[in-house]
Amino acid sequence: MTDKSSTPRSLELLSPARDLATAIAAIDCGADAVYIGGPDHGARAAASNSIEDICKLVEYAHPFGVKVYVTLNTLVYENEIDGVKRLVKDLYNVGVDALIVQDMSLLEMDIPPIELHASTQCDTRTPEKALRLQTAGFSQIVVARELNLDEIKSIADAVDVPIEVFVHGALCVSYSGDCRASLLATGRSANRGECAQMCRLPYDLTDSSGRVIVAGRHFLSLKDMKRLDNLEQLIDAGASSFKIEGRLKDVGYVKNITALYSARLDEIIRRNPDKYRRSSFGVKTIDFTPSAESVFNRGFTNYFLSRPEPHSLASIATPKSTGRVVGRVKNVHNNCVTLDKSLSIENGDGLGYFDRDGQFNGFRANRVEGNKVFTRDKAPAIAPGTEIYCNSDRQSRLISQRGTTPRRLSTSINLRRVDKHRIVLSMTTESGASAEVVADVEFQTARSPQRENRHRIITKLGDTIFIAGEIDDTLADDDFTAASVLTDLRRRCCEMLMTSVKSRYKTAVRRAAKQLSTPETVDFHENISNSLARKFYTDHGTQKIDDALEVQKPVNKEVEVMKCRYCLRRELGACLKTPNRNKLPNDLMLRQVGGNRRYRLEFDCKNCQMTVIDVTGATRG
């Protein structure tokens, strides 16, 4: 939401979590919110979590003002509606802040007033779509990943709810929620959390007659998004929530990327304290140097965020992680690969390179000495000048294995005398929670200074979520107070403070829905798979509704499986708007290597989009 007031805008770093341990690590590394799968109906079937674990996560997160969002963003089938209702009630009862959803049936269900966020599967590309979702009752909207800064700003200016943008991680080649390649090829629907990642497979590029133009490349496999250097531009465009992709990623990845983006947000806020603030609280202790290049990545792109676009958006040679470049080969002899510079790698690190055929190959560093890498057996025959990547290093493995330093709430402490026989200890956290306790004492005059000893006792907060900040001690330096009295004051004050922290946290409720206008006709792109979703549209004026492909009967015909802002012609330097358009024939197709899928490619130059059409069934039928 574009800032329209003098109040600092709240900025949220939203991190992924495959499980409870990863979620806690993300919070410790600076996440303002985490999103995690529930027991079912999350768009990552392999990342489900029990209600008990989500309850533990809520208890850990809320004292720091960190929000917990649960993904319930798959299509709901008719026979699952009652189960979804029960699940929502369970999640509401344990204090979950919001559900991330794509199925409009949630708006028609008799469920508690939990906030609903519009998932990326809702495919929000326009101000009109965003306004419609806001009117329907959504409290936060994630926009399509393909949008540029001007398009994001136009959406943020049109609505009053926070706008969420992806800033890092793997990219779908299709507009999210609008891909059916996996469904048609394997029966596993991406909209049901079971994507078979058809876009990461190798294909032959052919013409319509089957003549191979380029063989065996990963033409639909995109690089990973990285918008670390664009955060301030995104904030200026009106985005308030910054989402890291990766609910299937390991804990080391989540820690690294969360810490990296958290530090950058803090830096932006330090320069603009009157304009922005973080949406959560707490002191983070990061004991490693975060790096995006040292964890899983396929190379990086900021993905249409600004013009001109980088020439290459895809990772055509390999869908695997390439890591970071560590040097170029000078020569190879026996079991030694000599590079052009001393290496930032260690014994046991995994290295890789692209061979003359464009294939990515790997080997392990058995021993490293300066700029020489020794392998256990004979080194691979690598041409001089070839770049060497490190895609598995010891430091990243240690980050995964090592625990995090728990997050703490900075707490100011005040110790003062109220009369001749009583002292008061009060504590106030950075989040505004406070507590105060009183003790009766018999003051005595000490022979030695007591202030340092008092401070040592009242700041001993190690078994709590608090960490001592500013200390205001107005007792005289020689006032003696028994250690047992101070210890009891601290214990009671911390207990009261924790109660205050918990009582201050208020979970928001869902926005009230208003009457809106939906399209007169909706087709399978809207993913309607149950009667309640159908009712949502008919109640708001839609007259003709097609079911989602997931619930339609199979047919042997051409089917549009995805629409992409990524264009393969442009990627290969043959954009139809350029003089190089004849570099490739007009009739392009993809043929799955080692499989039977065939796709026709259509190009919409006016809207700069590519449509991928599965012709396998039509050809077979």
Side-chain angles (χ1 to χ4, degrees):
M1 178 174 60
T2 302
D3 191 11
K4 301 179 177 72
S5 71
S6 59
T7 303
R9 178 144 54 97
S10 180
L11 304 180
E12 171 186 274
L13 180 61
L14 177 54
S15 292
R18 66 182 302 164
D19 53 29
L20 173 62
T22 306
I24 290 175
I27 293 168
D28 290 340
C29 289
D32 300 299
V34 292
Y35 64 105
I36 187 169
D40 48 57
H41 289 285
R44 296 290 184 272
S48 59
N49 295 274
S50 68
I51 295 294
E52 291 75 17
D53 276 357
I54 291 175
C55 181
K56 292 175 183 176
L57 173 58
V58 167
E59 290 175 352
Y60 189 85
H62 283 180
F64 304 105
V66 172
K67 295 181 178 180
V68 176
Y69 306 147
V70 170
T71 56
L72 214 159
N73 53 343
T74 65
L75 297 186
V76 178
Y77 291 163
E78 191 69 29
N79 63 344
E80 297 170 335
I81 290 175
D82 288 341
V84 169
K85 290 179 184 178
R86 289 191 294 270
L87 175 58
V88 172
K89 289 177 182 177
D90 289 341
L91 294 170
Y92 178 80
N93 288 337
V94 299
V96 166
D97 293 278
L99 304 177
I100 301 174
V101 306
Q102 72 154 315
D103 197 309
M104 296 299 129
S105 66
L106 274 290
L107 295 164
E108 297 290 328
M109 290 184 189
D110 179 18
I111 55 175
I114 191 169
E115 277 199 349
L116 299 180
H117 292 185
S119 168
T120 184
Q121 276 83 7
C122 290
D123 188 19
T124 305
R125 310 181 206 171
T126 65
E128 293 76 20
K129 177 72 173 285
L131 189 57
R132 191 161 75 239
L133 291 170
Q134 173 182 286
T135 306
F138 285 96
S139 302
Q140 186 156 303
I141 299 169
V142 60
V143 297
R145 288 177 248 209
E146 293 81 359
L147 303 187
N148 62 39
L149 288 167
D150 289 340
E151 290 167 327
I152 292 170
K153 186 177 189 307
S154 69
I155 291 175
D157 286 345
V159 298
D160 297 320
V161 297
I163 292 300
E164 181 182 314
V165 294
F166 277 92
V167 292
H168 198 96
L171 286 164
C172 296
V173 67
S174 170
Y175 283 101
S176 297
D178 201 16
C179 178
R180 293 152 190 89
S182 177
L183 174 67
L184 266 67
T186 69
R188 295 163 50 188
S189 169
N191 282 319
R192 293 281 291 173
E194 299 173 333
C195 179
Q197 294 197 310
M198 299 300 291
C199 58
R200 303 298 181 189
L201 299 180
Y203 295 90
D204 293 331
L205 181 65
T206 76
D207 61 17
S208 58
S209 69
R211 180 177 65 90
V212 176
I213 301 166
V214 183
R217 288 292 184 265
H218 303 267
F219 292 109
L220 299 177
S221 179
L222 298 188
K223 294 178 179 179
D224 291 353
M225 177 187 284
K226 182 186 176 189
R227 291 175 168 175
L228 183 68
D229 295 331
N230 306 109
L231 277 182
E232 197 154 11
Q233 292 173 292
L234 287 165
I235 293 169
D236 289 343
S240 295
S241 179
F242 308 95
K243 190 172 194 173
I244 299 167
E245 185 278 337
R247 278 199 299 121
L248 295 180
K249 292 293 196 295
D250 63 29
V251 68
Y253 179 96
V254 173
K255 288 165 63 175
N256 242 306
I257 304 305
T258 299
L260 188 67
Y261 279 80
S262 180
R264 184 61 58 88
L265 276 179
D266 286 342
E267 175 191 319
I268 293 169
I269 291 171
R270 275 194 297 271
R271 289 188 277 105
N272 302 276
D274 297 330
K275 295 173 64 176
Y276 313 120
R277 66 174 181 85
R278 294 293 290 270
S279 64
S280 68
F281 308 95
V283 178
K284 293 93 65 176
T285 303
I286 309 300
D287 59 358
F288 59 90
T289 302
S291 165
E293 287 72 20
S294 65
V295 294
F296 188 102
N297 73 85
R298 302 177 178 91
F300 293 112
T301 171
N302 74 4
Y303 201 50
F304 299 111
L305 198 59
S306 56
R307 299 289 193 267
E309 301 162 15
H311 177 73
S312 175
L313 295 175
S315 178
I316 286 177
T318 178
K320 300 176 183 178
S321 174
T322 54
R324 56 190 169 90
V325 175
V326 292
R328 291 182 179 272
V329 172
K330 290 181 66 176
N331 60 70
V332 178
H333 182 69
N334 293 330
N335 69 330
C336 178
V337 179
T338 302
L339 301 191
D340 59 353
K341 58 184 177 181
S342 295
L343 306 175
S344 57
I345 61 174
E346 301 181 37
N347 299 346
D349 285 355
L351 305 176
Y353 64 97
F354 290 99
D355 63 21
R356 289 186 175 91
D357 295 326
Q359 299 298 316
F360 192 71
N361 301 289
F363 64 100
R364 189 163 296 280
N366 187 51
R367 187 174 84 255
V368 181
E369 295 180 2
N371 66 334
K372 297 181 182 297
V373 179
F374 294 90
T375 58
R376 185 178 297 277
D377 301 310
K378 185 175 177 60
I382 311 174
T386 301
E387 283 188 324
I388 298 296
Y389 298 80
C390 178
N391 61 2
S392 174
D393 65 67
R394 177 175 174 272
Q395 291 304 315
S396 294
R397 293 192 294 272
L398 286 176
I399 292 171
S400 293
Q401 296 162 7
R402 196 168 53 223
T404 51
T405 300
R407 196 159 170 171
R408 294 286 185 257
L409 278 178
S410 181
T411 305
S412 60
I413 301 173
N414 176 267
L415 183 65
R416 65 189 186 279
R417 185 190 293 204
V418 291
D419 56 36
K420 293 181 179 180
H421 303 289
R422 289 187 303 166
I423 58 174
V424 172
L425 178 66
S426 60
M427 295 182 178
T428 303
T429 69
E430 59 182 292
S431 61
S434 61
E436 184 174 283
V437 292
V438 181
D440 294 324
V441 296
E442 291 293 335
F443 283 108
Q444 301 177 38
T445 302
R447 296 179 179 178
S448 58
Q450 294 294 299
R451 193 177 303 275
E452 183 177 335
N453 186 53
R454 287 198 301 266
H455 291 187
R456 179 182 60 81
I457 295 171
I458 62 176
T459 60
K460 194 175 181 181
L461 307 173
D463 58 346
T464 71
I465 69 166
F466 309 114
I467 187 171
E470 182 179 345
I471 302 170
D472 182 15
D473 178 0
T474 60
L475 271 61
D477 197 29
D478 60 354
D479 275 344
F480 174 78
T481 306
S484 59
V485 173
L486 293 173
T487 299
D488 181 65
L489 274 173
R490 184 198 68 221
R491 178 188 59 78
R492 288 190 292 124
C493 198
C494 285
E495 289 176 355
M496 289 182 63
L497 188 59
M498 192 63 194
T499 299
S500 175
V501 166
K502 291 180 178 179
S503 67
R504 283 179 59 84
Y505 191 90
K506 304 298 181 186
T507 303
V509 297
R510 185 162 67 250
R511 288 175 61 93
K514 299 178 182 178
Q515 184 65 33
L516 64 142
S517 176
T518 52
E520 184 174 321
T521 300
V522 298
D523 61 15
F524 67 88
H525 290 282
E526 292 297 321
N527 297 325
I528 298 170
S529 60
N530 60 68
S531 60
L532 290 183
R534 181 178 287 270
K535 181 178 183 298
F536 168 81
Y537 282 95
T538 56
D539 284 353
H540 293 290
T542 300
Q543 297 178 14
K544 184 178 183 302
I545 297 174
D546 289 338
D547 288 330
L549 288 191
E550 282 81 355
V551 294
Q552 289 186 23
K553 293 180 179 180
V555 290
N556 285 332
K557 65 178 183 179
E558 293 188 359
V559 179
E560 177 189 310
V561 295
M562 65 174 78
K563 194 178 290 291
C564 319
R565 199 163 199 177
Y566 160 78
C567 174
L568 183 55
R569 293 192 68 97
R570 182 186 174 281
E571 183 70 22
L572 297 178
C575 173
L576 290 170
K577 291 183 176 180
T578 70
N580 292 327
R581 58 185 175 273
N582 294 325
K583 180 179 176 181
L584 292 173
N586 288 332
D587 54 333
L588 292 180
M589 302 190 71
L590 293 176
R591 182 174 64 202
Q592 183 185 347
V593 174
N596 69 336
R597 310 313 296 184
R598 297 179 69 245
Y599 303 99
R600 187 176 75 251
L601 304 180
E602 294 185 352
F603 301 93
D604 175 1
C605 292
K606 179 181 178 181
N607 295 303
C608 202
Q609 291 180 338
M610 178 178 75
T611 302
V612 181
I613 299 169
D614 190 321
V615 299
T616 311
T619 303
R620 188 174 61 246

